[in-house]
Amino acid sequence: MFDRSNLTKKKVWQIIAKKFSEKCKSSVDWSQLKGKWAKLERKFKDVKSVNGKSGSGRREFLYEREMEEAIGGNPNITPMATYSSMNDECVGENSVCENSNSLSKKPNVSEGVKRKRENMYELLSGKREEKKKQHEEKMEVMNKFLNIFSKMVPGNSEQ
């Protein structure tokens, strides 16, 4: 569905709105779909946050299974790790806060500049691959989103 890498978010939402309107046989604007997706994503994130805390009752979310399938592994929804400043520890399954003591050391300015120069090339060379991967992941999420929306439409033959 999304085979071109030069698509903007707006164009992607317009394509989704067009496909959605064709399947539903009703006119839907891309901004309406984007708003609906944002609300679903926010509600899903809130429910996951509440259900992850002890002492509070479990919340239910109607499209929890579908949203988990589409965006459950997204770090914006489920962080890879969290850092506590209270006891200077990093908590998380895929912890990225390996050396918490390094935060308290103030590096020499010349060492910091030298390190930045050394790492700049590595950073820039990896950026292109990262962007490509992010684009592919975003397109996959958009395809899943379209499938979820098509399941939500009453009278849709693909249920």
Side-chain angles (χ1 to χ4, degrees):
M1 177 182 230
F2 303 108
D3 54 356
R4 293 180 287 156
S5 61
N6 62 348
L7 289 175
T8 62
K9 289 181 183 180
K10 182 177 179 179
K11 287 180 183 176
V12 170
W13 281 111
Q14 288 171 338
I15 291 169
I16 291 172
K18 181 180 177 185
K19 296 277 186 185
F20 188 75
S21 294
E22 288 171 2
K23 285 188 177 193
C24 301
K25 296 182 177 42
S26 67
S27 179
V28 178
D29 186 47
W30 70 271
S31 59
Q32 291 173 308
L33 287 178
K34 183 179 176 187
K36 180 67 172 175
W37 179 254
K39 284 181 183 179
L40 283 169
E41 198 172 40
R42 189 171 39 252
K43 179 71 173 173
F44 178 66
K45 186 176 181 178
D46 291 345
V47 168
K48 289 220 19 133
S49 176
V50 168
N51 290 346
K53 295 177 183 174
S54 65
S56 60
R58 178 160 172 74
R59 280 195 187 168
E60 296 295 323
F61 180 53
L62 183 61
Y63 302 107
E64 188 170 2
R65 185 177 48 81
E66 290 89 350
M67 293 296 286
E68 183 69 41
E69 181 182 316
I71 61 171
N74 186 331
N76 291 336
I77 305 299
T78 308
M80 291 173 33
T82 58
Y83 185 79
S84 171
S85 61
M86 295 293 287
N87 53 7
D88 203 28
E89 72 176 21
C90 187
V91 180
E93 191 174 292
N94 302 324
S95 179
V96 292
C97 313
E98 294 163 358
N99 189 0
S100 60
N101 293 333
S102 66
L103 296 175
S104 60
K105 293 181 186 176
K106 188 172 182 178
N108 183 326
V109 174
S110 61
E111 288 176 6
V113 171
K114 186 176 179 182
R115 193 177 319 121
K116 284 182 183 178
R117 286 180 187 155
E118 290 171 354
N119 293 332
M120 186 58 71
Y121 179 74
E122 291 176 23
L123 177 70
L124 292 175
S125 62
K127 201 66 168 167
R128 172 171 270 174
E129 288 300 316
E130 182 182 331
K131 285 287 187 184
K132 184 177 178 182
K133 183 181 176 193
Q134 286 176 345
H135 174 73
E136 291 169 356
E137 289 172 354
K138 180 159 272 201
M139 294 302 104
E140 184 180 334
V141 168
M142 292 304 223
N143 282 329
K144 289 178 181 178
F145 168 71
L146 186 58
N147 288 335
I148 290 170
F149 255 36
S150 67
K151 290 177 185 175
M152 292 169 41
V153 176
N156 190 354
S157 62
E158 294 184 22
Q159 287 185 4

